[in-house]
Amino acid sequence: MAAGEAVSGAQLVAEALRAQNIEYMFGIVGIPIIEIAVAAQAVGIKYIGMRNEQAACYAASAIGYLTGRPGVCLVVSGPGFLHALGGMANATVNCWPLIVIGGSSDRNQETMGAFQEFPQVEAGRLYNKLSVRPSSLEVIPAVIEKAVRTSMYGRPGSCYIDIPGDFVNLEVNKSSVKYVECCPPPPTSMAEHSAISKAVSIIAHAKQPLLIIGKGAAYSHAENNIRKLVDLCGLPFLPTPMAKGVVPDNHPNCVAAARSTALQHADVVILLGARLNWILHFGLPPRFRPDVKVIQIDICAEELGNNVRPAAVLLGDINAVTKQLLEEFSKRLLKYPSNSEWWKKLREKIKNNEERSKELALQKSLPMNYYTVFHHIRELIPKDSILVSEGANTMDIGRTMLPNYYPRQRLDAGTFGTMGVGLGFAIAAALVAKDRTPEKRVICIEGDSAFGFSGMEVETICRYNLPIVIIVVNNNGIYTGLNADNWKEMLQYGDPATCVPPVSLLPNSHYEEIMSAFGGKGYFVKTPEELQKALKASVTDKQTPSLINVMIDPQSDRKKQEFPWLTRSNL
């Protein structure tokens, strides 16, 4: 462009995002941000119009996790911004980079009761690492660079940029704009050598060690070094849900099938990018030994020492620190013996639990249970599928029944335990797969309640022709439901609002017809044979989205556990 050429605010936003290597934008357009979406497409950013701002924000955050570069969520002012707060909080708690751009009221109408006026910058500070409004058009590229950089550096998270409505079409001379270069990937930090030496010495003296791999390890692309570390040291490892596949679940050192035993009896626990929050029961008894020694490895200094007093702390990038550990173990020629009493105990528990799950999976009774459904899914989907999962029992049982062999190929409710993320995550995964590994299938497995949070995104999936296979495991309720006969019996007592259990949903709902309504393929199945047929057809068809509505026993539950899945803080 010529030096004196004018450029609009919308163009500046789009060009600045593209300069930061932003590839994907999700949102719902309206006043005042329509022009930003159009400008984004003009510079080559892929814009995906969603049906709900929450789902759009979830999709953009999943882009950040899958690619390491934030996706963008574009929302209108007021209610649109508020609907996206759930996605901002989810990204920040999950530690995923995300950029949210929200239109807002014109500057000259502030405090006057403008259309959808809301204190968005102030409200955004609670949910984001950075919440900012550019002071002028000239600084928009610099503000966007800082937001992208902040979203990725240190502990990743969400950043919010507020764009006043009058900025969108306002023009400025391009020569006065403060342009900045693309921010590089985050710098790699390493742990102190003394900390590495101390950690290795503690591990060397452990009688019952356990390596816990967190999704921070997946995000840092540490899989190669972690696999080498596991093989070299012979340590048993336990992946957290979204760390499944960093080391393949079928690796002989994986003790996921003996999770409770491994946690409860380990004398040394090495945390690789995992936090001692509710997912790991805070690192406290009765789930852990009172005298357990914890070695924490994390990129965030503020995380070190949370809930327990660690025996050693290693601050740095997970991949870099794992390489340091690997080098130290190689020097000392240390390997944990595979014939130890600890390994014998773990293998025995693994065998018992796997036999119990297999027994449940092979039951012939109808309606089917969760284990039977997941058994057939496991047998028929490609091993390199990207698995998206949400729901209570659906997600938890699926985590134990459906193995992952590759990193960053499982997306679920995550650290924030957020329901409604499934279809947004699946859309993001399908877009990334389409651009990078088109042969991969995206399998989205939802409980019927979870599907209801974002079910209209099925139209988005069909509009963009994303060949996602959605499997709704339908038990007519939240946790448990009622069959059709019990439902009718309940209604005899009067108003459903006072008689029907709060966990119940309408029995035998035909969710597959939502997919059919938009041009995809829908299947309603009740038997293992029908499930097999629908799965084979859906997986084979790589052009058309599909939804398989699988009816199961409304009272089906997970097998009896040694501990409740959620550890209360007062235990």
Side-chain angles (χ1 to χ4, degrees):
M1 286 186 177
E5 189 170 348
V7 61
S8 71
Q11 289 174 293
L12 280 172
V13 171
E15 291 173 3
L17 290 171
R18 196 72 191 98
Q20 298 303 319
N21 288 337
I22 300 301
E23 298 181 73
Y24 304 96
M25 176 183 286
F26 304 81
I28 300 177
V29 295
I31 298 171
I33 47 85
I34 295 175
E35 292 86 351
I36 294 177
V38 174
Q41 288 182 317
V43 299
I45 295 173
K46 295 184 178 181
Y47 175 81
I48 297 89
M50 305 286 281
R51 300 304 298 267
N52 180 281
E53 287 94 353
Q54 277 193 8
C57 212
Y58 296 144
S61 69
I63 291 291
Y65 174 64
L66 293 169
T67 70
R69 205 93 188 163
V72 172
C73 177
L74 181 68
V75 297
V76 299
S77 52
F81 166 83
L82 288 170
H83 292 167
L85 287 178
M88 298 181 210
N90 189 67
T92 298
V93 174
N94 261 354
C95 309
W96 293 355
L98 166 71
I99 301 295
V100 177
I101 296 176
S104 62
S105 307
D106 291 4
R107 292 170 297 167
N108 64 356
Q109 295 176 353
E110 285 187 7
T111 76
M112 296 175 64
F115 175 66
Q116 296 183 336
E117 183 176 1
F118 190 77
Q120 294 171 192
V121 176
E122 292 86 346
R125 290 196 175 102
L126 188 61
Y127 305 88
N128 296 276
K129 293 182 69 179
L130 176 71
S131 186
V132 62
R133 171 189 278 195
S135 58
S136 66
L137 265 64
E138 287 85 350
V139 301
I140 283 177
V143 168
I144 286 176
E145 186 275 341
K146 180 171 184 177
V148 170
R149 176 163 39 89
T150 302
S151 76
M152 297 189 300
Y153 281 31
R155 171 175 280 176
S158 175
C159 291
Y160 173 67
I161 304 171
D162 194 71
I163 303 295
D166 56 310
F167 269 21
V168 175
N169 292 309
L170 188 66
E171 293 186 342
V172 67
N173 192 307
K174 192 164 186 176
S175 62
S176 66
V177 175
K178 184 181 179 182
Y179 288 101
V180 291
E181 295 181 355
C182 180
C183 70
T188 300
S189 55
M190 302 174 70
E192 295 179 353
H193 179 74
S194 59
I196 293 290
S197 181
K198 180 179 180 181
V200 172
S201 294
I202 293 170
I203 297 168
H205 290 91
K207 301 295 183 183
Q208 298 181 167
L210 177 66
L211 177 65
I212 299 180
I213 304 171
K215 71 172 180 289
Y219 181 77
S220 70
H221 289 247
E223 54 269 15
N224 290 337
N225 282 326
I226 292 177
R227 290 175 192 178
K228 290 177 183 176
L229 182 67
V230 169
D231 290 336
L232 176 68
C233 303
L235 296 173
F237 74 88
L238 175 69
T240 61
M242 271 188 275
K244 282 165 59 68
V246 169
V247 182
D249 282 346
N250 62 351
H251 191 284
N253 289 38
C254 180
V255 294
R259 183 180 190 273
S260 293
T261 297
L263 293 178
Q264 191 178 15
H265 298 286
D267 63 349
V268 172
V269 168
I270 307 102
L271 295 173
L272 269 175
R275 290 172 279 176
L276 288 176
N277 54 25
W278 68 275
I279 292 178
L280 288 175
H281 321 289
F282 316 109
L284 301 174
R287 292 292 195 123
F288 287 79
R289 285 171 49 153
D291 61 345
V292 64
K293 293 180 179 179
V294 175
I295 298 170
Q296 275 188 290
I297 307 168
D298 205 284
I299 198 169
C300 178
E302 291 81 0
E303 186 63 37
L304 302 173
N306 277 349
N307 297 324
V308 301
R309 179 64 63 186
V313 294
L314 283 69
L315 176 64
D317 173 77
I318 302 301
N319 190 32
V321 175
T322 303
K323 186 176 181 181
Q324 289 179 280
L325 287 171
L326 190 58
E327 291 171 351
E328 189 68 17
F329 271 104
S330 298
K331 292 177 185 177
R332 301 195 190 191
L333 300 175
L334 295 173
K335 184 159 188 175
Y336 188 73
S338 60
N339 60 349
S340 67
E341 289 300 315
W342 177 229
W343 261 122
K344 290 177 183 177
K345 183 174 187 175
L346 291 171
R347 289 190 183 112
E348 182 180 356
K349 193 64 178 179
I350 289 170
K351 182 180 178 181
N352 291 340
N353 284 343
E354 288 179 343
E355 287 176 353
R356 289 166 63 197
S357 294
K358 184 177 180 180
E359 182 181 344
L360 288 166
L362 298 179
Q363 285 183 1
K364 302 294 185 182
S365 58
L366 293 175
M368 292 181 284
N369 63 41
Y370 284 103
Y371 293 86
T372 302
V373 170
F374 284 119
H375 168 75
H376 292 292
I377 294 173
R378 182 179 62 203
E379 294 298 310
L380 292 172
I381 64 172
K383 286 190 173 183
D384 64 347
S385 296
I386 300 172
L387 298 178
V388 180
S389 183
E390 67 169 329
N393 291 337
T394 299
M395 182 177 65
D396 293 333
I397 298 172
R399 183 174 66 245
T400 66
M401 292 287 292
L402 298 178
N404 286 87
Y405 303 99
Y406 303 94
R408 296 170 297 283
Q409 291 193 193
R410 177 181 166 87
L411 296 160
D412 64 24
T415 310
F416 212 27
T418 309
M419 290 295 101
V421 297
L423 295 191
F425 282 4
I427 289 168
L431 289 165
V432 173
K434 183 179 179 181
D435 290 342
R436 290 165 169 77
T437 52
E439 71 281 358
K440 288 192 186 298
R441 302 308 310 274
V442 176
I443 313 294
C444 180
I445 306 169
E446 305 255 302
D448 50 330
S449 172
F451 177 76
F453 281 83
S454 56
M456 274 302 293
E457 299 304 335
V458 166
E459 187 272 335
T460 307
I461 291 169
C462 290
R463 183 168 14 112
Y464 291 98
N465 196 33
L466 301 173
I468 298 166
V469 179
I470 302 172
I471 303 171
V472 177
V473 184
N474 189 348
N475 69 344
N476 300 336
I478 304 168
Y479 305 116
T480 59
L482 299 173
N483 62 34
D485 291 338
N486 289 339
W487 176 268
K488 291 177 182 177
E489 184 179 339
M490 286 286 181
L491 295 183
Q492 293 176 2
Y493 292 100
D495 187 346
T498 58
C499 298
V500 172
V503 295
S504 299
L505 299 173
L506 189 68
N508 303 325
S509 294
H510 283 265
Y511 298 111
E512 79 286 351
E513 293 184 3
I514 299 175
M515 178 64 82
S516 300
F518 296 117
K521 294 183 179 179
Y523 304 88
F524 185 78
V525 305
K526 291 184 175 181
T527 67
E529 293 75 21
E530 291 172 345
L531 175 58
Q532 290 173 350
K533 184 177 179 181
L535 278 169
K536 289 176 181 177
S538 298
V539 169
T540 302
D541 187 347
K542 297 183 179 181
Q543 305 297 322
T544 311
S546 60
L547 191 154
I548 306 171
N549 187 13
V550 186
M551 303 307 302
I552 67 168
D553 183 352
Q555 298 301 310
S556 180
D557 202 351
R558 70 194 80 194
K559 65 180 184 288
K560 186 177 179 182
Q561 297 175 297
E562 294 177 46
F563 290 95
W565 71 276
L566 181 62
T567 301
R568 296 296 178 188
S569 59
N570 61 349
L571 286 177

